[in-house]
Amino acid sequence: TKLITDVVCPFCGTLCDDLEVVVSDDGKELLEVNNACAIGAEKFLHSQAKDRLTRPRMRNEDGSWREVSYDEAAEFTAQMLAKSKKPLMYGWSSTNCESQVVGSHVAELVGGQLDNTATVCHGSTLIAVQDVGVPSCTLGEIKNRADMVVFWGCNPAHAHPRHMSRYSLFPRGFFTAKGHRGRTAVVVDPRPTDSANLADIYLPVEQGRDYELLSALRVAFRNEQLPDVVAGISKEKIYEVAEKMKNARFGCIFFGMGVTHSLSNNHNIDIAIQVTRDLNEFTKWSIMPMRGHYNVTGAGEVWGWQFGFPFCVDLSRGFARYNPGESSSNDLLMREEIDSVFVLGSDPGAHFPFSSVKKMNALPCVVVDPHITPSTVVADLHVPVAFVGVEVGGCAYRMDSVPIESHKVVDAPEGMLTDEEFLKLVLARVKEIKGV
Ligand code: SF4
């Protein structure tokens, strides 16, 4: 057997890069994964499933499947996209930047609606950052400098299981030699989560009233008067936390979908960023979204360079437009503006509202995914591909926007294509159809 070290985990936005993987001598079998959390390890081990699909399959009239070649699959996809007036090209978060680049090229040629999983996740963060900017830093700086961390509306103990041990709460760093004992952790969440159990201070904010609590912190920083209770938290507690934040040496607010998808949406993030700015009058603070899919940050970065917008990119007029709420996937589906759906690197069948999935079901739909998922259930064509980060490497952006290069650790089953290779076949065929 061979031991491969410094392997990058392709599951969540923490992108842990210290995994060790044991593979067979011929590099065809993955035998063991060390250092990963349970969900990360499962991603690697799932690639070894004996019943895994290795060839594309097309839906028959009666709903059954028949196997087709990758060339036939590319032909069907290219014809579907090229003939559509407004194809939705959704996902892009569990793939590498190389594939995102090729996908963007296809979308430009077919006038696609490009959207990634931020649309149902941290899209409101991206809007807030465009509104007011963001004082941020890297996870390495947190590990080495932070003596106070706030987890607001997120539960890393479950969603990013190694985040706290690698970067934010437990590790000892250059200026944080005491590790957990030298850090104050605050969790703000309506529910007493497992992350809340690890906190020094837990603030059970009332559901949907994050904006008020963030405003109250701004008031407390200035030592001005607060009502007795704000968002379910006593003013004494708010003054206490505000004082600790002002006196920290270096702090970071990590926030999740409890803030981005509760009342006020992007305005919650606007004011969380203002809180961070206020704190920088006294000491050094940063703020960082807990990005979910492993390369959702990369999708925003790649489209940022190419089109100027990180999600909800409408290319139907031949140039990039951006108007979340109008050009976001669910709105487009519900308004029935879309005439075909292409999904890669995500599972909208599992994450979108049922009414949107029903609309997808009524449209021509291609899903590129190594797994059988709820999205493949509504697909006319399912294209299984190599696992990105396991059977093919490439660039991905960690949640702090640091690009990390991963390498393949095991061979894909013979004859299987990668996302990028399949997209290149589609691109070549779209170019022929469009005569460009
Ligand atoms: Fe993978 Fe995330 Fe677990 Fe790290 S925390 S091993 S990146 S799933």
Side-chain angles (χ1 to χ4, degrees):
T1 59
K2 279 190 293 194
L3 177 72
I4 306 176
T5 57
D6 302 323
V7 175
V8 181
C9 174
F11 191 88
C12 84
T14 313
L15 279 184
C16 298
D17 54 4
D18 62 341
L19 273 52
E20 294 183 352
V21 173
V22 181
V23 298
S24 58
D25 285 328
D26 59 4
K28 290 190 187 313
E29 223 183 322
L30 191 154
L31 304 168
E32 204 178 302
V33 184
N34 300 323
N35 297 347
C37 68
I39 47 178
E42 194 53 36
K43 172 108 189 193
F44 283 89
L45 296 171
H46 200 77
S47 68
Q48 303 301 298
K50 296 285 175 248
D51 58 351
R52 172 175 171 192
L53 288 177
T54 55
R55 290 293 177 273
R57 51 187 191 146
M58 186 89 77
R59 181 92 62 188
N60 293 318
E61 295 257 312
D62 64 0
S64 59
W65 295 100
R66 68 175 186 282
E67 191 176 298
V68 293
S69 67
Y70 277 107
D71 284 335
E72 287 172 282
E75 176 70 24
F76 180 91
T77 309
Q79 292 286 356
M80 179 190 86
L81 292 172
K83 286 182 184 155
S84 299
K85 280 203 177 113
K86 240 184 185 185
L88 172 62
M89 299 181 70
Y90 176 78
W92 310 101
S93 299
S94 289
T95 191
N96 51 25
C97 294
E98 289 81 351
S99 306
Q100 290 161 355
V101 169
V102 185
S104 310
H105 200 159
V106 175
E108 270 193 295
L109 291 177
V110 300
Q113 304 286 314
L114 264 184
D115 204 3
N116 58 52
T117 54
T119 205
V120 287
C121 186
H122 273 284
S124 40
T125 305
L126 301 171
I127 295 170
V129 170
Q130 287 161 340
D131 284 347
V132 292
V134 61
S136 201
C137 65
T138 65
L139 288 171
E141 287 175 90
I142 309 284
K143 173 183 170 178
N144 286 308
R145 296 177 183 276
D147 59 350
M148 186 164 184
V149 282
V150 177
F151 298 100
W152 200 307
C154 56
N155 183 12
H158 286 202
H160 302 82
R162 297 187 69 218
H163 191 279
M164 287 171 148
S165 58
R166 259 177 80 72
Y167 297 112
S168 51
L169 185 55
F170 296 108
R172 295 165 199 269
F174 196 80
F175 300 110
T176 51
K178 289 187 184 157
H180 185 200
R181 281 184 295 122
R183 281 192 189 94
T184 306
V186 179
V187 167
V188 187
D189 200 308
R191 298 169 306 152
T193 58
D194 284 337
S195 302
N197 290 338
L198 295 168
D200 301 290
I201 302 171
Y202 167 49
L203 301 180
V205 61
E206 280 175 15
Q207 175 75 41
R209 299 186 66 187
D210 304 270
Y211 191 96
E212 284 152 80
L213 187 55
L214 286 158
S215 304
L217 280 174
R218 298 192 70 193
V219 172
F221 294 152
R222 289 165 179 72
N223 293 321
E224 287 168 11
Q225 280 304 311
L226 280 171
D228 289 345
V229 179
V230 179
I233 311 294
S234 70
K235 69 175 179 186
E236 290 76 20
K237 202 76 192 162
I238 296 171
Y239 284 124
E240 180 198 328
V241 172
E243 209 47 39
K244 280 193 192 303
M245 291 173 99
K246 279 160 66 177
N247 289 311
R249 196 180 56 218
F250 185 109
C252 185
I253 301 173
F254 294 101
F255 64 97
M257 287 173 66
V259 198
T260 61
H261 280 259
S262 60
L263 285 178
S264 306
N265 297 85
N266 53 304
H267 299 296
N268 285 333
I269 319 304
D270 282 350
I271 194 155
I273 292 170
Q274 296 298 352
V275 163
T276 315
R277 287 218 173 119
D278 287 355
L279 284 164
N280 279 289
E281 306 259 316
F282 306 100
T283 179
K284 172 76 185 151
W285 272 77
S286 290
I287 182 164
M288 195 181 296
M290 299 288 278
R291 305 303 299 269
H293 283 71
Y294 107 100
N295 195 24
V296 59
T297 310
E301 295 280 344
V302 168
W303 297 352
W305 322 320
Q306 294 192 326
F307 306 119
F309 309 115
F311 74 125
C312 297
V313 184
D314 172 2
L315 296 164
S316 62
R317 298 190 193 181
F319 56 92
R321 291 174 70 243
Y322 166 75
N323 192 14
E326 182 200 339
S327 56
S328 25
S329 307
N330 281 298
D331 299 273
L332 289 163
L333 282 165
M334 292 313 294
R335 289 199 310 269
E336 301 189 352
E337 285 184 26
I338 291 301
D339 51 358
S340 68
V341 182
F342 175 85
V343 177
L344 185 146
S346 170
D347 186 9
H351 304 142
F352 278 10
F354 186 60
S355 43
S356 294
V357 181
K358 267 169 63 184
K359 302 281 183 196
M360 279 175 62
N361 190 33
L363 295 169
C365 177
V366 173
V367 174
V368 181
D369 199 305
H371 307 90
I372 295 173
T373 66
S375 299
T376 61
V377 173
V378 299
D380 300 293
L381 170 67
H382 173 202
V383 185
V385 277
F387 278 73
V388 177
V390 181
E391 295 164 341
V392 56
C395 179
Y397 279 74
R398 205 167 59 185
M399 62 168 70
D400 54 355
S401 296
V402 171
I404 295 186
E405 195 68 28
S406 68
H407 302 280
K408 89 167 187 185
V409 292
V410 68
D411 291 340
E414 193 139 337
M416 277 197 91
L417 297 189
T418 64
D419 286 335
E420 187 185 0
E421 287 166 345
F422 179 69
L423 284 164
K424 281 184 169 162
L425 285 183
V426 174
L427 176 62
R429 202 50 201 111
V430 165
K431 281 183 172 170
E432 281 169 19
I433 296 167
K434 294 276 182 187
V436 290

